[in-house]
């Protein structure tokens, strides 16, 4: 499912126009990105948790030259599914 298909499905389910649904989805994306940028967690009970995790510095290999390289530490966004979401996927 791509973004336009998601907007269509959401607008049908919520009884909103596609334009309003697209605004709501964009607002949701903006809020999630802003909160993660500020390293805050977003918990949607039953659905899941969005958070930022620190990936430590590590050693890797350049696949082209096979030379060892150091991959610097970085922050990565993570999503952990909630129980209700896991139950639906596994039913």
């Amino acid at each position: 499912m791509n973004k336009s298909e998601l907007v269509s499905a959401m607008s049908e389910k919520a009884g909103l126009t596609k334009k309003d649904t697209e605004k709501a989805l964009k607002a949701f994306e903006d809020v999630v990105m802003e909160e993660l940028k500020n390293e805050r967690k977003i918990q949607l009970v039953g659905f899941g948790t969005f958070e930022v995790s620190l990936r430590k510095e590590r050693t890797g290999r350049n696949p082209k030259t096979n030379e060892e390289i150091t991959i610097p530490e970085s922050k990565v966004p993570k999503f952990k599914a909630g129980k209700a979401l896991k139950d639906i996927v596994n039913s």
Side-chain angles (χ1 to χ4, degrees):
M1 177 180 276
N2 62 30
K3 189 173 184 175
S4 64
E5 292 169 336
L6 176 61
V7 168
S8 292
M10 287 173 59
S11 69
E12 193 176 303
K13 199 148 194 105
L16 299 171
T17 66
K18 286 185 182 181
K19 191 170 188 172
D20 287 342
T21 304
E22 197 165 348
K23 282 182 189 176
L25 181 58
K26 176 72 173 129
F28 174 76
E29 291 171 347
D30 291 345
V31 169
V32 169
M33 286 190 267
E34 188 64 32
E35 291 300 302
L36 293 179
K37 178 182 171 189
N38 294 320
E39 297 187 38
R40 292 192 288 253
K41 186 189 315 189
I42 298 174
Q43 290 180 302
L44 303 172
V45 176
F47 183 72
T49 303
F50 296 90
E51 60 188 328
V52 176
S53 180
L54 184 64
R55 185 178 286 163
K56 294 184 180 182
E57 184 178 278
R58 60 199 190 281
T59 303
R61 287 204 179 269
N62 180 336
K64 198 171 193 176
T65 63
N66 207 27
E67 174 187 349
E68 276 196 5
I69 57 172
T70 300
I71 302 169
E73 74 176 16
S74 62
K75 295 175 189 171
V76 293
K78 287 196 172 181
F79 176 76
K80 185 165 58 169
K83 184 175 179 349
L85 179 58
K86 287 179 189 176
D87 290 346
I88 286 175
V89 169
N90 288 309
S91 65

